[in-house]
């Protein structure tokens, strides 16, 4: 109240509320698949904006006012054996906070396959497969030029629709009838668990180039089937000092 002589006036004084900002939950988790969704809610009493959005994630809104629920959607599969995270920075006036979004990996990091002891010839390829926590696997061969025009996800989906091989029975891969002096890619997808609880390991990708099939190449391979087994004969060429005989049966490779 302000008085001057016999006069008075009322003056209304208003103090604005302080800025507020909170987020819940601050650590939303999404599954590995493309199109997986989640959400978090921004509670604020002013306008806000979000930054730091990665390419693999989309948001239903990146700016707004007051309390809003944000829907998260993955734009691609996490084609890896490690989870990935994104730190979204949210600001409202002088207030700020961070939301950490996690996308699960597609592959189980405990299921592994590696390759060793490669033998590359003019028309053949062999490598030993080393397994960890693997029940079985799928495999496929590609020309390199055909491999490169597809995504790794496309290749993976093609390979897992192929034949299933048992890891305790076959610890190698062998391929004959290849073209000489040609770039190839070998792919192997390991798995564990039965058909209802199957988990996959990260896909093994082996690039190799076959030898020249001239008189000066190391060797060439040919295969023939006899009753119950394949015989792979690797013939030495003019300048070859050693040659190998490989054959595959239901039991193993020799």
């Amino acid at each position: 109240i302000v008085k001057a002589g016999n006069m008075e006036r009322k003056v209304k004084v208003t103090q604005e509320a302080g800025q507020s900002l909170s987020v819940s939950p601050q650590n939303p988790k999404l599954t590995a698949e493309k199109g997986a969704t989640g959400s978090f809610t921004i509670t604020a009493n002013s306008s806000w904006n979000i930054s730091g959005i990665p390419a693999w994630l989309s948001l239903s809104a990146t700016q707004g006012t007051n309390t809003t629920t944000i829907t998260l959607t993955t734009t691609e599969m996490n084609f890896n054996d490690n989870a990935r995270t994104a730190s979204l920075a949210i600001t409202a006036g002088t207030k700020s906070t961070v939301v950490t979004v996690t996308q699960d990996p597609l592959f189980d990091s405990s299921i592994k396959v590696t390759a060793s002891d490669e033998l590359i010839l003019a028309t053949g390829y062999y490598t030993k497969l080393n397994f960890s926590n693997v029940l079985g696997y799928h495999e496929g061969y590609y020309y390199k030029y055909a491999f490169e025009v597809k995504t790794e996800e496309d290749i993976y989906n093609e390979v897992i629709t192929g034949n299933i091989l048992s890891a305790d029975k076959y610890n190698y891969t062998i391929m004959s009838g290849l073209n000489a002096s040609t770039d190839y890619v070998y792919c192997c997808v390991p798995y564990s668990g039965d058909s209802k609880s199957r988990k996959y390991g990260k896909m093994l990708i082996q690039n190799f180039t076959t030898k020249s099939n001239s008189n000066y190449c190391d060797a060439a391979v040919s295969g023939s089937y006899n009753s119950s087994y394949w015989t792979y004969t690797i013939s030495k060429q003019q300048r070859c000092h050693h040659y190998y005989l490989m054959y595959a049966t239901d039991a193993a490779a020799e």
Side-chain angles (χ1 to χ4, degrees):
I1 297 175
V2 180
K3 292 183 178 181
N6 61 353
M7 299 179 65
E8 64 179 42
R9 293 288 187 273
K10 291 182 178 181
V11 178
K12 184 178 181 180
V13 179
T14 303
Q15 183 180 22
E16 293 184 354
Q19 292 178 328
S20 64
L21 173 66
S22 63
V23 175
S24 181
Q26 283 199 289
N27 301 96
K29 296 184 183 297
L30 307 175
T31 59
E33 295 76 18
K34 178 181 179 180
T37 59
S39 66
F40 63 89
T41 298
I42 299 173
T43 302
N45 60 0
S46 62
S47 60
W48 48 263
N49 66 78
I50 306 173
S51 60
I53 305 167
W56 55 266
L57 187 65
S58 70
L59 279 64
S60 57
T62 58
Q63 57 186 9
T65 304
N66 301 326
T67 299
T68 307
T69 296
I70 304 298
T71 299
L72 305 164
T73 305
T74 57
T75 58
E76 58 187 52
M77 181 181 291
N78 183 10
F79 201 77
N80 212 318
D81 56 358
N82 295 306
R84 60 183 172 184
T85 61
S87 296
L88 308 181
I90 304 173
T91 58
T94 60
K95 300 290 184 179
S96 64
T97 188
V98 173
V99 172
T100 302
V101 182
T102 301
Q103 186 183 19
D104 291 335
L106 176 65
F107 303 120
D108 187 327
S109 60
S110 69
I111 303 172
K112 297 179 181 179
V113 58
T114 59
S116 62
D117 301 328
E118 277 188 316
L119 176 61
I120 304 172
L121 304 171
T123 59
Y125 175 77
Y126 166 88
T127 190
K128 180 183 177 183
L129 300 175
N130 310 292
F131 300 113
S132 177
N133 192 31
V134 175
L135 177 64
Y137 63 95
H138 305 264
E139 65 178 4
Y141 283 86
Y142 292 86
Y143 289 108
K144 188 174 182 180
Y145 68 82
F147 181 90
E148 291 177 339
V149 298
K150 300 181 180 183
T151 66
E152 193 170 329
E153 183 179 340
D154 290 336
I155 298 294
Y156 164 78
N157 288 326
E158 289 179 358
V159 172
I160 63 173
T161 60
N163 294 333
I164 297 176
L165 302 172
S166 175
D168 62 356
K169 190 173 184 180
Y170 302 103
N171 65 343
Y172 64 93
T173 188
I174 186 169
M175 187 72 178
S176 63
L178 302 178
N179 296 325
S181 304
T182 303
D183 295 327
Y184 287 94
V185 181
Y186 169 70
C187 300
C188 179
V189 179
Y191 69 84
S192 187
D194 58 28
S195 58
K196 294 182 179 179
S197 61
R198 183 160 296 173
K199 294 182 179 180
Y200 291 92
K202 189 170 178 61
M203 182 166 64
L204 170 69
I205 299 174
Q206 293 288 108
N207 292 275
F208 65 94
T209 302
T210 51
K211 303 290 185 177
S212 167
N213 202 15
S214 69
N215 290 335
Y216 305 103
C217 67
D218 293 339
V221 65
S222 60
S224 62
Y225 187 73
N226 182 10
S227 181
S228 61
Y229 62 89
W230 279 91
T231 298
Y232 295 93
T233 304
I234 301 174
S235 306
K236 65 179 182 179
Q237 301 296 326
Q238 182 174 341
R239 294 189 177 182
C240 181
H241 300 291
H242 303 279
Y243 71 94
Y244 300 85
L245 174 69
M246 291 190 297
Y247 63 90
T249 69
D250 286 341
E254 300 288 345

